[in-house]
Amino acid sequence: MKTLLKVMLTIAAIFASTFILGRVLGILTEDNVREWLEIASTLSALTVIAVVVGLLAIDLFVAVPTLTIVILGSYFLGFEMGFAAAITGSAIAAFGGYSICKRWGETALAKVIRDENQRAEMRDAFTSHGPGMIMLSRAAPILPEVTACMAGMTRMPLLRFAIFWLVGTLPYMGIAAYAGSVSTLDDPRPAIFAALGLYSVMWTGWFIYRKFSIKGGTQLLV
């Protein structure tokens, strides 16, 4: 399990560095996202869809404020189109990360963990704990990309990964998109309550999952 955590923390550190760099350079902040979507909304719905999908897709390489993008996108697009755009962009990032790491992850992993036995131990640990991690990954930024990369690196079957990803992502995106669609500039409360509720539910899920993992004999540190 220690090997799994080491690899996940290494991947998380890479993603975190892009987040910090973006903040230092003043790009891909919530203010940027709001401004771009407002400009796109003056052009056409297709432009807003393209911006939402594009921003969520590049989350694989540069950390973006996902929840803000989904809520604002749905505010301009409405629930159905906002939800569809959110799922499309998130899927591109998730399955892109899965595919890239399935193709080249083993080579990179061998440089981080040189012992084959430790790599095998890591794969076994992710096979056991990966499903829960994937389903609850929306509890924190960066974690969805980390778990997608881990799934590809450990060669989790694509259908298996897709099922767990959908279970964790569809309700999250659906609630965020609906909240954005019914919010207004004068009454942003639905979006605020949705954001607080989503994070509360996800963190509660992590707490329960971690508790059962410890009870089962394996402690999760994430």
Side-chain angles (χ1 to χ4, degrees):
M1 192 65 186
K2 291 181 178 179
T3 305
L4 173 61
L5 292 174
K6 177 181 179 180
V7 175
M8 291 185 68
L9 288 173
T10 299
I11 297 173
I14 295 172
F15 284 117
S17 66
T18 66
F19 175 81
I20 295 171
L21 181 61
R23 291 301 181 273
V24 170
L25 297 177
I27 57 175
L28 291 177
T29 64
E30 292 187 2
D31 289 338
N32 295 148
V33 168
R34 185 177 294 105
E35 181 180 352
W36 293 338
L37 286 171
E38 286 176 351
I39 294 172
S41 69
T42 64
L43 301 175
S44 68
L46 286 177
T47 305
V48 178
I49 291 172
V51 172
V52 171
V53 171
L55 286 172
L56 292 176
I58 64 172
D59 196 27
L60 175 60
F61 305 103
V62 183
V64 300
T66 301
L67 190 57
T68 299
I69 294 169
V70 177
I71 289 175
L72 284 175
S74 300
Y75 166 74
F76 290 115
L77 293 169
F79 172 69
E80 291 82 2
M81 288 195 294
F83 177 66
I87 288 295
T88 301
S90 296
I92 292 172
F95 292 97
Y98 173 93
S99 300
I100 290 171
C101 288
K102 186 174 183 179
R103 175 65 179 83
W104 290 289
E106 182 65 30
T107 301
L109 179 62
K111 295 180 180 180
V112 178
I113 307 296
R114 298 184 181 278
D115 189 299
E116 172 55 35
N117 290 330
Q118 290 184 342
R119 295 200 297 272
E121 175 192 314
M122 181 210 70
R123 295 187 195 98
D124 291 341
F126 192 78
T127 297
S128 299
H129 297 284
M133 292 179 178
I134 294 167
M135 288 187 288
L136 296 170
S137 64
R138 295 288 168 184
I142 299 175
L143 200 53
E145 292 73 42
V146 172
T147 53
C149 288
M150 288 301 305
M153 192 178 294
T154 57
R155 298 190 175 276
M156 175 183 283
L158 178 59
L159 180 58
R160 181 177 170 84
F161 169 67
I163 290 173
F164 294 131
W165 182 82
L166 287 169
V167 168
T169 302
L170 285 177
Y172 180 93
M173 293 300 182
I175 293 171
Y178 178 75
S181 69
V182 298
S183 296
T184 65
L185 295 177
D186 294 328
D187 184 16
R189 287 177 298 175
I192 295 171
F193 292 152
L196 293 174
L198 284 169
Y199 282 121
S200 297
V201 170
M202 287 297 183
W203 274 108
T204 300
W206 264 116
F207 175 79
I208 295 172
Y209 180 66
R210 184 173 180 272
K211 183 177 180 180
F212 277 98
S213 296
I214 294 173
K215 186 179 293 188
T218 303
Q219 183 170 359
L220 289 178
L221 301 179
V222 294

